[in-house]
């Protein structure tokens, strides 16, 4: 494993900006699950940034 792949956040950021698939059916449970996943990923990325700045400063 090299350092380039360690900080590859492309798939995580791509999850936020992908388009809806019209072929899949959607319901409240699925929308809620995706909202919670996006919220937890956002909180994780914000915490990584905060920890990085605390470490540097």
């Amino acid at each position: 494993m090299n350092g380039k792949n360690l900080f590859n956040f492309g798939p995580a950021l791509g999850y936020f900006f992908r388009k809806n698939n019209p072929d899949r059916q959607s319901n409240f449970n699925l929308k809620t699950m995706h909202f919670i996943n996006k919220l937890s990923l956002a909180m994780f990325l914000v915490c990584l940034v905060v920890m990085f700045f605390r470490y540097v400063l």
Side-chain angles (χ1 to χ4, degrees):
M1 178 160 129
N2 58 14
K4 186 182 282 188
N5 290 332
L6 187 61
F7 294 104
N8 184 8
F9 295 114
L13 293 175
Y15 180 75
F16 287 99
F17 302 111
R18 67 181 177 185
K19 303 277 186 210
N20 289 337
N21 188 353
D23 296 333
R24 289 187 183 160
Q25 66 181 18
S26 180
N27 59 18
F28 176 75
N29 292 333
L30 188 62
K31 289 180 184 180
T32 305
M33 180 195 68
H34 283 292
F35 173 74
I36 292 171
N37 284 344
K38 288 179 183 181
L39 182 64
S40 65
L41 275 173
M43 290 174 64
F44 174 73
L45 293 175
V46 166
C47 288
L48 278 180
V49 170
V50 168
M51 288 173 54
F52 177 74
F53 279 118
R54 284 185 180 178
Y55 179 76
V56 170
L57 301 176

